[in-house]
Amino acid sequence: MDDIVVPADWVADRLDAPEVRVVDVREAWEYDGIGHLPGAVNVPFDAFRSEAGGEAGMLPGADAFAALMGEAGVSNGDHLVAYDDTHGVFAARLLVTAELYGHPRDRLHLLDGDFSAWQREHPTTTDAPDVEPVEYRAAFEESGPLVTIETVREALSDPGTVVVDTREEWEYEEGHLPGAVRLDWLELVDRESRGLRPAAENRETLESRGITPEKRVLLYCNTARRISHTYVVLRHLGYGDIAFYEGSLTEWEREGGELVG
């Protein structure tokens, strides 16, 4: 089970597998009132975001993340499948957070097409599962994809690195890092299906911006939410050298970094 972005049928075939834990990152009222995947546990987005106490940006901190996952019944060896109802951007943030705290990369999966893809073809429930808390171990991966502001500054003059701004066009035009190319994260999403566009189309879009597999790709946005989705998509497409600027523009501007418009 080494797929990263997986269709609803893939998840349906594995719902009863003991090593699979499905996590719904929507708000509790949506999970309870609208319904959720059978067996899914609810870990709302705000629960794993923090503006204080984490190692960088809005990471929650290793101890807090370990407690959260343990309470949700997620074990370190589980295949973690995450979903939301927003094209996967919030779910992707959970997966990136888990990776940064040491969860095996090959056991992190994003439901393609979010909750709506599941709802079209498969049953939902309002019954919450009985969850047995477990011990989850989390430690910040110093050698992971996350990079510091110093690394970003150096990358701006590195011809082997393409710096990518994943925000909307108007945000980019108001101010972006010098030399950054724009790639709205939603350009990689099919608005109708809410899942990823075909791989060939996404590769064409990426390469038209100079975002090619042989280069190091350094991603940023405002608070590292949108780059989480782009990071997952690039991994799904086989990109190997991806840098994740967790501080993003929030830190860049706070530290006096230059912006161009």
Side-chain angles (χ1 to χ4, degrees):
M1 292 197 299
D2 58 355
D3 299 278
I4 303 167
V5 181
V6 294
D9 286 345
W10 187 100
V11 179
D13 290 342
R14 294 163 175 80
L15 277 184
D16 296 326
E19 74 277 15
V20 172
R21 177 64 69 182
V22 181
V23 179
D24 182 317
V25 306
R26 298 174 300 159
E27 294 184 34
W29 71 265
E30 296 174 285
Y31 174 85
D32 294 326
I34 298 174
H36 52 267
L37 273 65
V41 295
N42 186 217
V43 181
F45 176 71
D46 287 343
F48 54 91
R49 293 273 277 182
S50 174
E51 295 185 15
E55 292 79 2
M58 297 184 71
L59 292 175
D63 291 343
F65 190 71
L68 189 65
M69 292 293 97
E71 290 171 7
V74 178
S75 298
N76 290 90
D78 284 346
H79 283 270
L80 175 58
V81 181
Y83 72 90
D84 56 30
D85 60 356
T86 322
H87 308 291
V89 68
F90 294 102
R93 176 64 189 185
L94 175 66
L95 299 180
V96 171
T97 302
E99 179 182 340
L100 292 173
Y101 286 126
H103 202 98
R105 284 179 51 167
D106 63 345
R107 291 173 179 258
L108 296 171
H109 313 281
L110 177 70
L111 173 61
D112 195 24
D114 68 33
F115 180 68
S116 63
W118 177 273
Q119 198 174 30
R120 283 194 297 269
E121 303 288 342
H122 300 282
T124 62
T125 182
T126 56
D127 297 329
D130 293 326
V131 177
E132 182 176 345
V134 299
E135 180 182 358
Y136 186 91
R137 299 174 303 281
F140 181 67
E141 289 286 323
E142 297 286 351
S143 60
L146 191 148
V147 295
T148 65
I149 191 171
E150 290 76 17
T151 300
V152 177
R153 289 192 175 108
E154 294 170 1
L156 295 179
S157 58
D158 176 13
T161 298
V162 55
V163 179
V164 181
D165 185 316
T166 64
R167 300 173 302 151
E168 294 181 48
E169 184 174 7
W170 69 267
E171 295 174 287
Y172 177 85
E173 291 177 349
E174 281 194 347
H176 55 269
L177 270 61
V181 300
R182 187 185 69 81
L183 176 78
D184 186 335
W185 71 278
L186 279 170
E187 291 183 65
L188 304 179
V189 173
D190 183 305
R191 300 298 184 100
E192 184 174 341
S193 72
R194 303 175 69 85
L196 298 188
R197 295 167 61 212
E201 293 181 16
N202 277 340
R203 290 184 191 281
E204 183 178 353
T205 296
L206 290 164
E207 293 181 10
S208 72
R209 312 290 170 85
I211 306 168
T212 54
E214 68 271 13
K215 288 188 176 181
R216 184 189 198 196
V217 181
L218 194 159
L219 304 168
Y220 78 89
C221 57
N222 282 336
T223 61
R225 173 176 59 84
R226 287 173 280 189
I227 62 173
S228 297
H229 187 274
T230 307
Y231 176 82
V232 169
V233 176
L234 290 177
R235 275 193 48 213
H236 182 66
L237 293 174
Y239 281 66
D241 194 356
I242 314 169
F244 191 94
Y245 181 28
E246 170 67 25
S248 280
L249 279 187
T250 299
E251 178 184 61
W252 182 261
E253 292 189 272
R254 186 178 67 236
E255 299 300 318
E258 179 189 2
L259 293 178
V260 296

